Amino acid sequence: ELAGLQQRLLVAYGETCGGQWSRVEPDGYFYGQAARHFRLAGQGERLKALLLDYGWLARKLEVAGVNGLLADYEGLLTDPELKLVQATLRLSAHVLVIPVQLTERLWGHLRDKPQQEIQFLLCQAEQTYTHPWLRPTYGNLTVPDGPLRRTLSGHIYWVHSVAISPDGKRVVSG
């Protein structure tokens, strides 16, 4: 019964945007909870399509920020394409506080990835540009499936200490 209720909620939201999820008006709820509703409705493939859709990524980044967008990928890390996109967003989190950088970051990190879904995402990103830009012909940023996980910013001097919580979910530097 819960899956049916989730589906009805998604249908209602879908009707407001003609099925183009990035056009849902921010209401303080949907962008924060959409991924959860897709999961609970048993719509894993639709959620995957959403998380590989440039329009959704750009809009969610604008509305909920990079950490809100990253949270949507949790629990889906068995999918190789979603894992690459999430890693790219995580590597770019310190830059994506300015959402307009999304296209360049996707291209720089994912350009050399051969997966059809990744290349389609890059084509979508490219089509959003209305002005000339320097598009790399090969990946020119850290590969998302490499050892670097995230760049933390904020310190203006050397970091002398780092503490990681026992559960590994929090890091404090000084």
Side-chain angles (χ1 to χ4, degrees):
E1 187 176 327
L2 182 60
L5 292 172
Q6 302 297 324
Q7 183 62 31
R8 286 179 49 201
L9 180 72
L10 290 172
V11 167
Y13 269 106
E15 288 173 356
T16 69
C17 64
Q20 293 186 349
W21 299 105
S22 61
R23 292 189 177 172
V24 171
E25 287 297 317
D27 60 3
Y29 180 79
F30 182 73
Y31 284 94
Q33 301 299 321
R36 184 174 69 86
H37 289 297
F38 277 102
R39 280 187 191 101
L40 292 173
Q43 298 289 324
E45 285 303 311
R46 288 180 71 192
L47 177 57
K48 178 181 178 179
L50 187 69
L51 296 176
L52 290 170
D53 177 71
Y54 181 82
W56 173 260
L57 297 179
R59 184 69 164 159
K60 173 85 184 225
L61 185 60
E62 177 188 324
V63 172
V66 69
N67 289 323
L69 182 55
L70 282 168
D72 288 352
Y73 291 84
E74 294 304 319
L76 301 171
L77 297 183
T78 56
D79 184 279
E81 290 82 16
L82 292 178
K83 192 173 181 178
L84 284 171
V85 175
Q86 184 201 39
T88 295
L89 295 170
R90 190 176 50 246
L91 283 171
S92 303
H94 65 292
V95 175
L96 292 176
V97 293
I98 303 170
V100 72
Q101 295 284 324
L102 180 61
T103 299
E104 290 86 351
R105 300 306 288 195
L106 290 172
W107 268 85
H109 288 289
L110 296 172
R111 177 67 179 102
D112 294 336
K113 299 299 178 190
Q115 293 90 334
Q116 183 178 357
E117 292 164 317
I118 297 295
Q119 290 302 311
F120 185 69
L121 173 62
L122 296 179
C123 286
Q124 290 177 338
E126 181 180 29
Q127 291 171 359
T128 66
Y129 260 81
T130 57
H131 57 280
W133 63 297
L134 297 174
R135 181 185 60 200
T137 55
Y138 59 90
N140 61 343
L141 297 174
T142 305
V143 292
D145 46 1
L148 180 63
R149 304 267 301 156
R150 191 161 187 168
T151 299
L152 303 174
S153 61
H155 291 282
I156 56 174
Y157 296 106
W158 289 97
V159 173
H160 295 284
S161 61
V162 175
I164 301 173
S165 66
D167 64 2
K169 292 185 177 184
R170 303 231 191 296
V171 176
V172 178
S173 61

